[in-house]
Amino acid sequence: MKFDKPRSLGEALSILADAELEPHLLAGGTDLLVEIDTGRTAPPHVVDIWGIPELHGIQREAEGVRIGSLTTCTELYRDARTPDILRDAAWEVGAEQIRNRATIGGNLGTASPAADLTPVLFALGATVRLCARRGDRDLSARQFITGYRSNALRPSELIHSVWIPDRPDDERRAFRKVGTRRAQSISKLVVAVAFRIEGEVVIACRGGAGSVAPRTIDLPVLTREILGRRCTPERIAHAARMSAALDCAPVDDVRSTALYRREVFARVLVDLLSR
Amino acid sequence: MRHVGNRVARPEGPAKVEGRAVYVDDIPRAKDEWVGGTLRSPVAHGKLRCIERGDFDFSRVVVVTAEDIPGDNVQALIVDDQPILCADTVRHVEEPIALVAAPDQGTLCAALDALEPRIDPLEPVFDAERSQDVQSEISIDKGDVDATFEGATRIVEGEYHTDSQEQLYIETQGMIADPPTADGTITVRGSLQCPHYVQKALRRAFAVPPEKARVVQCETGGGFGGKEDYPSVVACHAALLAHASGHRVRMVYDRNEDLLATPKRHPSRVRHRTVVADDGTLLAMDIDVLLDGGAYTTLSPVVLSRGVIHAAGAYRCDNIRIRGRVVGTNHVPYGAFRGFGAPQVCFAIERQMDRIAASLGIHPVVIRQRNMLRLGDRTATSQLLKESVGSEEVLRRILAHTGFDRHEWRKERSGNKRRGVGLSFFYHGAGFTGSGEEMLKGKVTVELDDDGCALVRAGSTEIGQGKNAMFTAIAADALGAEPDAITIVDPDTAAVPDSGPTVASRTCMIVGGCLDKACRTLADRVGGDPNTPFRERASAFVRGGGDAVATETYGSPPGLQWDQNAYRGDAYPVFGWAADVAEVEVDLTTFDVEIVRFVTCVDVGHAIQPQIVEGQIEGGTLQSIGWSHIEVMTAENGRFRQDRLATCIIPTSLDTPPIDVLLVEEPFSNGPFGAKGVGELPMDGGAPAIASAIEDAIGVHVTHVPATPERLLEAWLEAHPDDAFFEAKR
Ligand SMILES: Cc1cc2nc3c(=O)[nH]c(=O)nc-3n(C[C@H](O)[C@H](O)[C@H](O)COP(=O)(O)OP(=O)(O)OC[C@H]3O[C@@H](n4cnc5c(N)ncnc54)[C@H](O)[C@@H]3O)c2cc1C
């Protein structure tokens, strides 16, 4: 196995651009090392990006915050600039030791359907910045995730950062993770929503969910069923049912059942939208 | 008594806390040491045709198959049905087929990859109800059940299920075997509970006398029953590889292999039919117990025995019929796990008692008070309870502490988070069943050295439960010595007598009792002025040529009688008694159950080391809490699905409620300082107490553990179809 540890972004991008073997980026390693250990991945070339200063840290920008891809869950949770539901999600990842290593870039990189941060990025309308020697590009988080454990990243690219637009004052946000226990648990389902109500009418609504489909999903049916409507209990219940029926495609697996996931997804959604 | 009842330092404690303790995998590798691995069956049932050798230079490794076993190809335990290596018919997934030893891990993996067992599949049986293969059957009959049913006006019926559970000791299975010495002695050292069980297995596999099969216990990172029988398998495998290769061979399972291949708690189905009087008095109990034993008999008959004896619960009834069966399936053999059959039947009877109470509209406390066994009563096996019966006291104390008798059980509650409280009341026989101890005749030797220090020799193992401190306290007080004069010799079959396995809540009561007597014998011999420190006196005694060795062999208390055929008589020397109260909060959005508070009151006879006893009770209770609603362990086509720590879920500290432990001490005349068994008892009552609390909270009758959110949601929606977003597809 070839191993590189670049000390700057430029160096890293050169390594990636010139790589002959398929390079695997190593951030906190909390996914990659497990995959290597279980034999799921046997990377011929590992590039440890932990030492790249440009990828660490959270910065205020004109109309949002930029979160470096190597920002850990602990850092996300501790930083007041992190939007509340992202902090909530970061707090519920793994346990202390994992949170000290698990990064936001890694969460996107793995593109696991059970990722906890990614659905929040969907709900917040976040943008992912990808860097390569040839140039940068920005994709919405939604576009970045392309399927079951797959994303839009090209071999020569790395995730530079995540940009989250400033939140309107009247936005309501809610997050809920349903796990197998109270810590160190992978989601049976996870839901995030951000919405706005003017008068009684919903004027904006965006959602994200995990572990209810082969990939992290946004919730277009929820948005369609509730946008421009009066936010009554009946409407919320209807929208939640429709979203559970049409946005979700849950399965039975070792953690839960499809029946539970669909039903509880709807119940959680009602709860989040009624807060 | 100065040390019994007061805190004694745990001899092994500092090294464990500071990370210096050396477990099997930590022992430095010998220069020419090899590593061993196991080729296992991918299917649950089939005819083994051959083992094909693929592209690999097999001269670099040593392969052992059934033909290479010098003695019998039998995993010696109770029934000779389990081979050490499969020779013919594969009966469960992960069954060992061949062994490989290699100079290093990489070579080992490559060799294992190149071996391919060719197996013609046979139809497997996974449903215990459908199995024709009865591994063991036990009946208990008391009074006239049929006549009582005939005239009955009130019959309550119930069926209860419990799923399997993984022990999840922190240290996985591991053994190191040395090649036979010139005189043919085989030595294995490893993580284990019962050195003399391992010795028995090695003797059979190698056809050698006991002194040629030496077993040494390493520091052991937990067992909970999981290291009762299975270490014998690993030991035979490692020893066969050492024998064949001429190298020291180490086999340490990784977590995946350990989860997939080693025994777990028996799944159960228990049916109750109970005749009750209008005031709740139990008139007749008809109980049917079914356990899934898995592919080989292993310890199942003994697990069934304990299960059947405890099936009627801690209640008095003149007419009892219990039919118990453990059947063979193509599951990985189920085995020993703390409680050993009792948690399954305790769940069933305690749920049945709640069901009876509900059907009569009386309080769960009242039904238990009305029927509980008291001093002078007779159990299901007609055992007369002559002493040390804490039943009334544990219930009185827990009610005083919790006020549960004033709680309105199953009152309609509202809100999205619903609280409920539940009670369980139970007992657990301490020590081996029936004449087990009498047959085993466990021995302890205590020896004084020139310095007046006592060496305690017994095969009993320290597996984290505090045996060393407990022995130290007993020996110190029985000798009149200070703890620093006492050394507990580490178990090594070449150096300690067989005091019996470290199982069945017996080590304190039985082995500690022998230790107490041996020490008193020595103290009498040493004599002298008690104001002179013991070491001085003992040293003078030994230097003066006194007889410095005392061996004590266990003898049952006088008057105990057991009829193994009729399953009648004194099933245990004594029982521990306990009651649990659990308070839960159920979230009606997700059906997550939070245990808000847990109180347990336990009659332990006498707490030799109160802090350790409380630790045992908290730990056992937490395992029971986990089993009640979190720990899912299920097999699919005979293969456990929860095969990694990411999926084999046990409670974390955040899932652990505050646990109040109340101790009751009703001394047992034949236990050391009045002590009786406590190791398993705390595993019995948590699940039914929590199930009862869930029922109280949301009105759903919980008959199956673990009561996962998935199961609770389904039960809730069945009772409240209007609350469902989607129709359940059934
Ligand atoms: C015990 C345990 C508990 C866990 N609990 C949770 C949980 O509760 N919730 C949850 O969501 N996840 C959980 N995880 C999964 C994991 O911690 C998260 O997905 C984490 O965010 C991964 O980050 P990392 O930095 O460790 O990723 P790594 O393992 O370093 O990388 C993961 C993948 O992303 C790629 N990658 C990493 N950084 C970049 C980058 N900057 N650009 C491009 N590609 C990149 C890597 O090449 C790799 O393919 C858990 C894992 C463990 C081991």
Side-chain angles (χ1 to χ4, degrees):
Chain A
M1 185 181 79
K2 189 165 161 12
F3 186 83
D4 283 305
K5 191 167 170 69
R7 292 290 166 186
S8 71
L9 184 56
E11 191 189 341
L13 296 180
S14 296
I15 290 169
L16 293 180
D18 299 337
E20 281 160 15
L21 307 163
E22 191 195 340
H24 278 63
L25 297 175
L26 174 71
T30 60
D31 276 324
L32 190 61
L33 296 191
V34 174
E35 286 185 23
I36 292 173
D37 192 52
T38 55
R40 193 138 62 149
T41 306
H45 182 186
V46 170
V47 181
D48 178 359
I49 56 174
W50 195 261
I52 301 176
E54 295 94 319
L55 303 182
H56 285 278
I58 301 177
Q59 261 115 46
R60 270 235 58 83
E61 291 188 350
E63 286 172 3
V65 285
R66 184 160 295 283
I67 299 172
S69 65
L70 290 174
T71 306
T72 64
C73 287
T74 302
E75 289 163 349
L76 282 175
Y77 174 71
R78 288 205 184 134
D79 200 303
R81 290 166 297 187
T82 308
D84 49 7
I85 50 174
L86 189 56
R87 291 177 69 186
D88 293 346
W91 176 246
E92 292 205 34
V93 168
E96 201 79 20
Q97 296 92 327
I98 292 294
R99 290 195 290 268
N100 287 340
R101 292 290 296 183
T103 65
I104 192 167
N107 210 255
L108 287 163
T110 299
S112 158
D116 285 329
L117 303 182
T118 308
V120 178
L121 299 181
F122 279 32
L124 294 175
T127 302
V128 182
R129 173 159 299 167
L130 307 177
C131 280
R133 199 163 61 185
R134 274 184 320 187
D136 299 352
R137 56 186 183 128
D138 285 342
L139 292 180
S140 71
R142 160 82 191 69
Q143 287 171 306
F144 178 76
I145 302 292
T146 52
Y148 176 74
R149 292 183 162 269
S150 73
N151 57 37
L153 202 68
R154 295 177 189 136
S156 60
E157 284 178 327
L158 55 70
I159 303 169
H160 173 271
S161 57
V162 173
W163 182 80
I164 300 172
D166 285 338
R167 313 315 305 172
D169 288 340
D170 63 349
E171 186 181 66
R172 304 183 193 189
R173 292 174 295 277
F175 167 83
R176 179 112 189 222
K177 168 175 176 171
V178 181
T180 47
R181 58 182 165 194
R182 293 162 75 82
Q184 201 68 287
S185 127
I186 306 295
S187 289
K188 295 200 283 197
L189 60 108
V190 49
V191 191
V193 286
F195 59 105
R196 295 169 65 200
I197 296 174
E198 212 172 76
E200 287 183 340
V201 175
V202 179
I203 56 161
C205 178
R206 206 197 288 265
S211 291
V212 288
R215 45 163 288 182
T216 302
I217 55 170
D218 58 353
L219 304 175
V221 175
L222 172 72
T223 303
R224 187 186 76 205
E225 292 296 331
I226 206 160
L227 201 62
R229 307 283 188 149
R230 280 186 55 230
C231 194
T232 61
E234 293 73 30
R235 175 48 57 178
I236 288 175
H238 171 77
R241 175 183 291 111
M242 294 296 280
S243 177
L246 300 173
D247 287 328
C248 298
V251 292
D252 289 342
D253 65 11
V254 67
R255 293 197 176 86
S256 190
T257 62
L259 187 152
Y260 177 90
R261 287 182 159 119
R262 203 185 285 281
E263 184 74 31
V264 172
F265 173 85
R267 298 170 90 87
V268 166
L269 211 45
V270 169
D271 185 39
L272 298 183
L273 292 170
S274 310
R275 280 190 185 167
Chain B
M1 281 188 223
R2 290 166 312 134
H3 302 292
V4 168
N6 291 310
R7 221 180 263 191
V8 166
R10 300 179 63 156
E12 74 290 350
K16 284 186 174 171
V17 172
E18 292 165 13
R20 289 183 285 109
V22 176
Y23 297 87
V24 177
D25 204 28
D26 304 324
I27 293 174
R29 294 208 178 227
K31 222 172 51 264
D32 55 356
E33 182 179 317
W34 281 25
V35 50
T38 314
L39 179 74
R40 298 176 179 281
S41 169
V43 301
H45 196 198
K47 279 273 174 223
L48 178 64
R49 269 199 285 118
C50 62
I51 303 165
E52 258 173 36
R53 295 191 171 200
D55 197 14
F56 181 80
D57 174 10
F58 278 92
S59 68
R60 294 162 60 200
V61 301
V62 161
V63 179
V64 167
T65 62
E67 292 136 44
D68 305 315
I69 299 170
D72 294 340
N73 184 13
V74 167
Q75 202 61 63
L77 194 60
I78 295 175
V79 175
D80 287 349
D81 60 348
Q82 184 178 22
I84 295 170
L85 290 171
C86 177
D88 172 23
T89 306
V90 167
R91 294 187 199 282
H92 65 86
V93 170
E94 307 298 334
E95 179 159 4
I97 290 176
L99 305 166
V100 180
D104 59 79
Q105 190 70 38
T107 311
L108 175 68
C109 291
L112 283 170
D113 282 348
L115 290 175
E116 177 97 26
R118 294 275 170 225
I119 301 170
D120 296 334
L122 294 168
E123 192 62 33
V125 175
F126 297 126
D127 181 358
E129 299 278 2
R130 293 245 216 87
S131 170
Q132 305 293 316
D133 170 25
V134 178
Q135 292 174 339
S136 177
E137 214 166 358
I138 296 172
S139 296
I140 291 178
D141 289 285
K142 180 188 182 189
D144 193 340
V145 172
D146 288 332
T148 318
F149 267 90
E150 248 161 57
T153 53
R154 192 184 288 277
I155 298 174
V156 180
E157 302 194 6
E159 180 171 309
Y160 308 97
H161 296 260
T162 64
D163 290 349
S164 190
Q165 184 183 23
E166 160 64 22
Q167 295 88 352
L168 217 74
Y169 29 73
I170 294 179
E171 183 202 20
T172 54
Q173 304 274 350
M175 286 282 168
I176 299 172
D178 283 333
T181 54
D183 74 345
T185 303
I186 304 147
T187 302
V188 301
R189 63 197 75 229
S191 182
L192 54 92
Q193 285 177 238
C194 312
H196 292 87
Y197 278 8
V198 177
Q199 186 185 43
K200 177 178 160 181
L202 288 173
R203 284 174 57 190
R204 187 77 182 270
F206 286 88
V208 291
E211 63 280 7
K212 296 254 159 87
R214 180 176 166 202
V215 180
V216 183
Q217 185 210 4
C218 295
E219 198 72 78
T220 297
F224 309 112
K227 290 177 189 160
E228 176 169 351
D229 61 321
Y230 203 81
S232 301
V233 173
V234 190
C236 286
H237 290 174
L240 285 168
L241 287 173
H243 173 263
S245 67
H247 291 274
R248 169 178 282 196
V249 171
R250 188 178 320 223
M251 296 184 91
V252 178
Y253 286 10
D254 66 14
R255 183 64 68 181
N256 180 245
E257 183 173 23
D258 196 296
L259 284 170
L260 286 172
T262 71
K264 318 197 187 306
R265 189 182 299 289
H266 291 72
S268 79
R269 185 274 291 141
V270 182
R271 285 200 193 104
H272 275 270
R273 291 172 67 232
T274 316
V275 181
V276 280
D278 290 342
D279 69 351
T281 304
L282 302 176
L283 300 177
M285 304 171 87
D286 186 6
I287 306 168
D288 186 81
V289 178
L290 176 69
L291 301 181
D292 180 347
Y296 294 108
T297 307
T298 66
L299 291 162
S300 293
V302 198
V303 173
L304 178 71
S305 165
R306 189 170 279 272
V308 163
I309 292 172
H310 287 80
Y315 303 106
R316 184 184 44 190
C317 181
D318 292 334
N319 305 293
I320 297 179
R321 173 164 58 217
I322 306 169
R323 296 281 176 269
R325 246 175 336 133
V326 55
V327 298
T329 62
N330 293 103
H331 284 131
V332 175
Y334 292 102
F337 189 165
R338 194 178 204 165
F340 213 68
Q344 292 94 321
V345 297
C346 181
F347 175 74
I349 179 65
E350 286 303 284
R351 296 278 50 221
Q352 175 77 357
M353 292 304 274
D354 278 349
R355 180 175 282 203
I356 294 169
S359 80
L360 291 165
I362 60 181
H363 197 277
V365 169
V366 173
I367 190 84
R368 288 171 171 88
Q369 280 167 334
R370 189 145 294 153
N371 294 290
M372 68 161 58
L373 285 164
R374 295 177 167 85
L375 191 68
D377 284 337
R378 286 185 183 274
T379 67
T381 63
S382 301
Q383 174 168 1
L384 178 65
L385 298 173
K386 285 183 285 216
E387 62 163 326
S388 187
V389 180
S391 56
E392 286 172 285
E393 185 58 14
V394 296
L395 197 58
R396 192 191 66 73
R397 280 279 299 282
I398 206 159
L399 295 179
H401 191 87
T402 61
F404 178 67
D405 45 344
R406 294 186 305 276
H407 174 78
E408 269 188 80
W409 194 70
R410 284 201 63 152
K411 196 180 104 180
E412 191 72 35
R413 286 162 226 284
S414 61
N416 199 48
K417 290 199 171 187
R418 300 205 179 160
R419 292 222 171 175
V421 191
L423 167 84
S424 65
F425 172 75
F426 49 105
Y427 73 162
H428 195 101
F432 273 159
T433 305
S435 19
E437 295 294 351
E438 197 61 36
M439 273 149 41
L440 181 76
K441 294 203 184 0
K443 281 186 194 49
V444 176
T445 296
V446 184
E447 185 183 329
L448 299 172
D449 67 12
D450 283 358
D451 296 332
C453 287
L455 297 174
V456 175
R457 298 181 192 278
S460 306
T461 49
E462 171 66 51
I463 49 176
Q465 86 282 39
K467 175 218 82 178
N468 288 338
M470 180 267 289
F471 274 9
T472 303
I474 290 175
D477 282 6
L479 290 168
E482 291 302 314
D484 64 6
I486 313 249
T487 302
I488 313 294
V489 176
D490 288 335
D492 172 346
T493 55
V496 300
D498 184 1
S499 59
T502 300
V503 303
S505 312
R506 62 183 292 282
T507 301
C508 178
M509 181 177 90
I510 303 281
V511 187
C514 291
L515 172 62
D516 181 34
K517 287 185 183 144
C519 289
R520 284 175 201 278
T521 304
L522 284 176
D524 282 349
R525 279 189 215 154
V526 169
D529 178 2
N531 292 319
T532 310
F534 177 80
R535 272 180 75 167
E536 257 174 58
R537 288 183 282 129
S539 172
F541 170 77
V542 176
R543 286 170 200 272
D547 178 1
V549 181
T551 296
E552 182 70 31
T553 304
Y554 182 77
S556 283
L560 284 195
Q561 289 198 346
W562 174 249
D563 179 342
Q564 177 72 20
N565 291 325
Y567 254 69
R568 191 171 301 136
D570 297 309
Y572 299 99
V574 71
F575 294 87
W577 302 81
D580 289 347
V581 168
E583 181 171 2
V584 305
E585 184 171 274
V586 184
D587 181 333
L588 286 187
T589 302
T590 60
F591 292 85
D592 275 334
V593 175
E594 179 183 350
I595 316 298
V596 181
R597 180 182 184 213
F598 200 98
V599 183
T600 178
C601 181
V602 188
D603 167 21
V604 302
H606 187 77
I608 303 284
Q609 288 292 288
Q611 194 195 24
I612 289 176
V613 167
E614 284 172 19
Q616 283 294 298
I617 293 172
E618 288 173 5
T621 297
L622 184 57
Q623 284 177 315
S624 189
I625 289 173
W627 189 46
S628 76
H629 71 297
I630 292 177
E631 296 184 31
V632 179
M633 180 49 72
T634 49
E636 194 172 73
N637 296 323
R639 189 178 191 279
F640 291 117
R641 301 172 78 199
Q642 291 74 12
D643 64 352
R644 292 170 53 201
L645 287 185
T647 49
C648 178
I649 302 296
I650 62 166
T652 67
S653 50
L654 288 187
D655 300 284
T656 307
I659 301 174
D660 295 354
V661 178
L662 313 174
L663 293 184
V664 166
E665 299 186 313
E666 292 280 349
F668 171 45
S669 62
N670 206 56
F673 300 89
K676 54 188 179 184
V678 68
E680 296 165 288
L681 179 62
M683 181 71 226
D684 295 346
I690 288 165
S692 183
I694 294 170
E695 178 165 345
D696 181 39
I698 63 172
V700 162
H701 187 53
V702 177
T703 58
H704 196 152
V705 284
T708 56
E710 285 74 12
R711 284 189 174 138
L712 293 178
L713 172 76
E714 284 196 41
W716 171 266
L717 294 183
E718 204 170 306
H720 306 269
D722 292 351
D723 191 35
F725 278 96
F726 299 96
E727 235 176 88
K729 284 187 295 264
R730 285 184 175 274

